[in-house]
Amino acid sequence: IRAAAVCGEAHLSVIMLTVFVVVVALVSQTAAHYTPDWTSLDARPLPSWYDEAKLGIFIHWGVFSVPGFGSEWFWWHWQGQQPPDQKYVNYMSQNYPPGFTYPEFARQFHAQFFNPDEWADIFKASGAKYVVLTAKHHEGFTNWESPNSWNWNSVDTGPHRDLVGDLAEAVRNRSLHYGLYNSLYEWFHPLYLIDKKNGFKTQEFVLQKLLPELYNMVVRYRPEVIWSDGDWEAPDTYWNSTEFLAWLYNDSPVKDTVVTNDRWGAGCACKHGGYYNCEDKYTPGQLPTHKWEKCTSVDTLSWGYRRNMKMNELLPLAAIIEDLVRTVAFGGNYLLNVGPTPDGMIPPLFEERLRGLGDWLEVNGQAIYSSKPWRVQSENTTVPVWYTSKGLTVYAILTAKPPMSTVKLLAPKASAITQVKKQCCPCLYSELKNMNKFLLICFYLLPRCSWWGIPHLYLGPQSTPVVALLSFCQSCLTLLLRHGRLNWT
């Protein structure tokens, strides 16, 4: 009896010790405290949802959408840079009366057709997992009722509605993460110009405008992404970036889920922050050691809406998918931008690209979402191939037409237990040799291009050409015909 009692006490002690260890571990995770310095802030783990998401939609929308000419830097090119860009000067003199000022464009920013539910449906259909809207660009106009931007916001003038809040509700109702872009500097704000003249030795703009607005924005809208920009003219000490980020990570309402980028002061890009942007349209040539994101735009010449954009200035769907695949293979996220019109419409050509991307991801998303870079990211022997992985599963994504019906993959080494499955392309196969563990290879092809020939496989309600096959097996034909998704040309 005594021995049993001792054993029972020992067993109870082990249980209590185990519970104590678990509790301590949980407390240590939730009670992590970050100090306002880069050593501490850079050590914060990135919330897992971000790496799993892979794809986001960027939205550049503001007063700059009204002139819709050149780019979202319209005001700067017209009246900021010296000498002014003559192209913008001529545009204004030819289309607007003498004395017309940039703030007058705000009254024409009506957003009368803005339907946040329609936007959110498009973003959901694109396959994106998060959305980032411009809360404030360099012009200083806020798309919400900022108390620090009186009469220069979307509630006091223009649309007379809370654009940030309206879209937040619609996006979250579709289980998408919601983020906000915020420019640190403002081209023509009087307090910023004073600080700039003082060599950024004073912080009137930061203390009276920027920081109160940032804190208010986070508390009010709880963004899970803060996409900072406009930082390069001054060091992070001027912006008080580390103090803000310490509050964001320790005490804000999104402290456990928020992610941030690396634009927090001159010299911070690709060095400090959450994930790295490094530069616009950043495209590394090898696997980076830090989580990163490529931001790019469907309109190759602008982030904001342009009334005079041309078809050949837009990224084709095939190029977008190939860019996504390359980015994910190298461990990055892909943030694809669209610029809505001032009346609140997403241009049909942009919507077509987004829905086409979603059609491709509906079939091939298992090779993208929650994937990790493989030991080899790409090879280009018989055909360009990009690799992603998930556990012991490896995905091979083809980005060009195979020259023959046989695709040879040199990087994977197979064994007798290797299984090869061909997603949407059941009659292609791979020659694999010498691997000692389970391996699953899935093939994915890009949208139709001129060299793919016929037949074509069409997916989606708008019959968007998504995958071109060299041949079909009976099971694939049966499946496609059953769902009415096969169209011959």
Side-chain angles (χ1 to χ4, degrees):
I1 296 174
R2 178 177 174 79
V6 170
C7 290
E9 291 175 359
H11 181 65
L12 180 60
S13 298
V14 170
I15 293 176
M16 293 179 64
L17 178 60
T18 302
V19 171
F20 175 74
V21 170
V22 171
V23 169
V24 169
L26 291 175
V27 170
S28 65
Q29 289 178 2
T30 57
H33 182 79
Y34 301 97
T35 54
D37 59 82
W38 288 121
T39 300
S40 176
L41 298 171
D42 290 344
R44 177 181 181 259
L46 200 67
S48 60
W49 74 262
Y50 179 77
D51 181 58
E52 295 166 358
K54 303 302 181 188
L55 175 63
I57 300 300
F58 214 180
I59 311 162
H60 274 68
W61 199 30
V63 173
F64 52 79
S65 306
V66 177
F69 180 80
S71 77
E72 68 286 349
W73 281 61
F74 183 96
W75 194 3
W76 179 258
H77 292 314
W78 176 35
Q79 295 183 318
Q81 70 177 52
Q82 296 300 324
D85 190 320
Q86 198 58 42
K87 179 176 64 175
Y88 293 83
V89 174
N90 293 341
Y91 178 82
M92 290 304 299
S93 64
Q94 294 168 8
N95 295 281
Y96 294 90
F100 188 94
T101 65
Y102 187 84
E104 292 181 79
F105 280 127
R107 293 199 293 268
Q108 301 175 28
F109 182 30
H110 299 304
Q112 68 269 32
F113 299 129
F114 172 52
N115 185 324
D117 288 313
E118 289 182 358
W119 282 26
D121 284 340
I122 295 172
F123 302 150
K124 181 75 172 180
S126 75
K129 302 300 183 183
Y130 62 103
V131 175
V132 180
L133 172 69
T134 45
K136 183 192 73 173
H137 202 259
H138 311 322
E139 64 189 10
F141 185 90
T142 62
N143 282 327
W144 56 287
E145 192 178 14
S146 167
N148 305 98
S149 189
W150 178 81
N151 209 38
W152 190 231
N153 65 73
S154 65
V155 177
D156 290 342
T157 187
H160 294 292
R161 62 186 293 187
D162 182 357
L163 304 179
V164 170
D166 289 350
L167 186 60
E169 181 179 2
V171 164
R172 287 169 174 150
N173 283 343
R174 286 153 183 82
S175 300
L176 302 178
H177 297 274
Y178 188 59
L180 295 174
Y181 165 106
N182 183 80
S183 174
L184 298 184
Y185 87 149
E186 298 178 23
W187 289 319
F188 304 109
H189 196 287
L191 294 179
Y192 180 73
L193 295 179
I194 291 173
D195 288 346
K196 186 175 181 179
K197 184 178 180 180
N198 293 335
F200 300 111
K201 298 296 190 294
T202 58
Q203 292 181 295
E204 296 302 316
F205 173 74
V206 173
L207 299 178
Q208 297 186 42
K209 174 64 160 67
L210 174 64
L211 287 181
E213 194 165 72
L214 262 177
Y215 288 120
N216 191 313
M217 184 185 78
V218 171
V219 171
R220 183 182 298 195
Y221 299 109
R222 305 192 175 197
E224 291 183 276
V225 179
I226 295 185
W227 214 100
S228 182
D229 197 16
D231 63 320
W232 53 83
E233 289 192 346
D236 63 275
T237 51
Y238 167 74
W239 303 114
N240 280 10
S241 296
T242 55
E243 287 82 359
F244 170 73
L245 291 174
W247 169 82
L248 186 70
Y249 296 163
N250 292 323
D251 303 310
S252 78
V254 289
K255 61 185 177 65
D256 296 323
T257 58
V258 70
V259 296
T260 63
N261 64 345
D262 56 355
R263 301 186 182 186
W264 296 102
C268 284
C270 242
K271 185 177 179 181
H272 295 303
Y275 61 88
Y276 292 169
N277 288 126
C278 298
E279 61 187 17
D280 289 352
K281 304 182 182 180
Y282 174 61
T283 307
Q286 59 186 9
L287 181 64
T289 58
H290 191 93
K291 181 61 185 181
W292 64 284
E293 176 188 74
K294 177 172 184 174
C295 61
T296 192
S297 184
V298 175
D299 182 350
T300 61
L301 300 183
S302 176
W303 299 87
Y305 171 70
R306 290 188 304 132
R307 289 190 280 182
N308 61 336
M309 65 180 178
K310 298 178 175 61
M311 178 76 78
N312 62 4
E313 296 166 342
L314 306 182
L315 284 176
L317 177 57
I320 292 172
I321 297 177
E322 185 168 2
D323 205 17
L324 167 67
V325 169
R326 175 192 175 98
T327 299
V328 173
F330 277 135
N333 275 27
Y334 194 67
L335 188 63
L336 183 61
N337 176 78
V338 294
T341 65
D343 51 17
M345 297 295 294
I346 295 176
L349 287 176
F350 292 172
E351 179 179 350
E352 179 188 44
R353 300 301 197 276
L354 297 186
R355 291 189 181 276
L357 179 58
D359 288 341
W360 187 85
L361 284 166
E362 183 181 355
V363 176
N364 307 311
Q366 63 177 301
I368 301 297
Y369 302 121
S370 299
S371 66
K372 300 291 183 182
W374 195 42
R375 61 176 176 82
V376 175
Q377 289 77 59
S378 67
E379 66 174 77
N380 191 13
T381 51
T382 58
V383 64
V385 177
W386 292 94
Y387 291 103
T388 63
S389 67
K390 201 176 295 181
L392 296 180
T393 303
V394 176
Y395 301 92
I397 307 173
L398 283 65
T399 59
K401 173 187 175 182
M404 300 178 295
S405 60
T406 299
V407 176
K408 295 183 178 180
L409 302 181
L410 302 182
K413 306 300 180 183
S415 71
I417 61 172
T418 298
Q419 297 185 20
V420 181
K421 295 184 179 181
K422 283 73 71 176
Q423 175 76 14
C424 286
C425 194
C427 298
L428 293 178
Y429 62 91
S430 173
E431 296 181 358
L432 304 171
K433 299 178 180 178
N434 305 323
M435 184 169 182
N436 297 320
K437 59 183 178 180
F438 176 82
L439 174 69
L440 171 65
I441 299 292
C442 294
F443 289 95
Y444 300 97
L445 300 178
L446 289 185
R448 180 185 63 178
C449 295
S450 59
W451 59 77
W452 281 86
I454 58 175
H456 298 292
L457 174 66
Y458 287 80
L459 300 173
Q462 297 181 338
S463 296
T464 304
V466 178
V467 182
L469 305 184
L470 301 180
S471 57
F472 297 106
C473 68
Q474 185 58 46
S475 60
C476 188
L477 277 172
T478 301
L479 177 64
L480 295 170
L481 291 172
R482 182 183 304 153
H483 292 280
R485 304 182 80 179
L486 186 64
N487 183 21
W488 293 87
T489 60

